[in-house]
Amino acid sequence: MENEVSLLEDLITVERKKPKLHNVITVLSLLFLVYFIFQFTFDNQITRSFSQTMPFIVIMMLPVLGLLFHITGRKTGWILNTLFYTLITSIVSANIISNIIMAEKLGTYMIFNWRSLVPFLLTITLLILLLTKTVRRYFNVSNLLLVICLGIPIALGLIYFFTLLNRIE
């Protein structure tokens, strides 16, 4: 009878202490979303139809949902954010590497849009912060879940990279 738990102890919930990086991740995620919404709406002067806008809305729902779940402290937020930011990092890295290879084959210099460097660095920073041990502990992320959340987007990025290489040749 020593291990009996009273009804009141079952109702008491112990609140997990949020890591210091939690607020940093939230702010950087908001900056990322604001940047891309601004780029999509104000930077492009082309009027778009609903069919052209729909893919952007669907893609941007992933980090929005990830941010909302992250703020509430749910593991789903960590999963969505890690999947999204790893996928973005691997796709942008594939584009950069394929542009370098194409420039070498053509014997020219690579022309790089420096404005795209800001969101790329922001994405890498967010991914590094999400992968820190304190954040993973807070969201109770197992090693298997970590490998899955990194492996799937990296595999998709590699597939994208090899399709880009086939276009170059």
Side-chain angles (χ1 to χ4, degrees):
M1 295 279 182
E2 294 175 21
N3 295 335
E4 284 187 32
V5 179
S6 70
L7 183 60
L8 287 177
E9 288 179 7
D10 283 341
L11 296 176
I12 297 172
T13 57
V14 177
E15 190 168 323
R16 297 176 295 175
K17 185 178 178 185
K18 291 183 180 180
K20 295 176 183 177
L21 296 175
H22 191 271
N23 292 334
V24 175
I25 294 170
T26 303
V27 169
L28 289 177
S29 295
L30 281 171
L31 284 173
F32 179 83
L33 290 172
V34 167
Y35 178 83
F36 273 98
I37 290 170
F38 178 79
Q39 284 288 105
F40 184 75
T41 55
F42 297 115
D43 200 27
N44 299 325
Q45 300 299 325
I46 304 169
T47 57
R48 293 181 177 89
S49 65
F50 182 73
S51 63
Q52 292 171 325
T53 308
M54 195 60 193
F56 176 79
I57 293 171
V58 170
I59 291 170
M60 290 313 288
M61 285 306 293
L62 194 62
V64 169
L65 289 173
L67 178 63
L68 291 175
F69 285 127
H70 177 81
I71 290 171
T72 60
R74 296 191 180 159
K75 188 187 287 190
T76 309
W78 184 90
I79 293 169
L80 291 174
N81 283 334
T82 304
L83 286 170
F84 179 77
Y85 293 123
T86 305
L87 183 64
I88 294 297
T89 302
S90 60
I91 287 174
V92 172
S93 298
N95 280 329
I96 291 171
I97 293 169
S98 66
N99 284 341
I100 291 171
I101 292 170
M102 188 169 57
E104 283 181 8
K105 283 190 173 195
L106 296 175
T108 61
Y109 294 104
M110 185 181 91
I111 299 173
F112 188 72
N113 182 1
W114 292 104
R115 284 186 358 186
S116 62
L117 188 63
V118 172
F120 182 60
L121 291 175
L122 189 61
T123 304
I124 291 173
T125 304
L126 277 163
L127 187 58
I128 290 169
L129 292 176
L130 285 167
L131 296 177
T132 57
K133 192 172 269 189
T134 56
V135 173
R136 286 188 289 130
R137 271 193 204 136
Y138 175 73
F139 288 108
N140 294 326
V141 176
S142 67
N143 288 336
L144 177 64
L145 183 61
L146 176 66
V147 169
I148 290 170
C149 287
L150 291 176
I152 292 172
I154 289 172
L156 291 173
L158 286 172
I159 292 169
Y160 177 72
F161 175 68
F162 287 119
T163 57
L164 286 177
L165 283 182
N166 286 335
R167 287 185 178 180
I168 293 173
E169 295 173 358

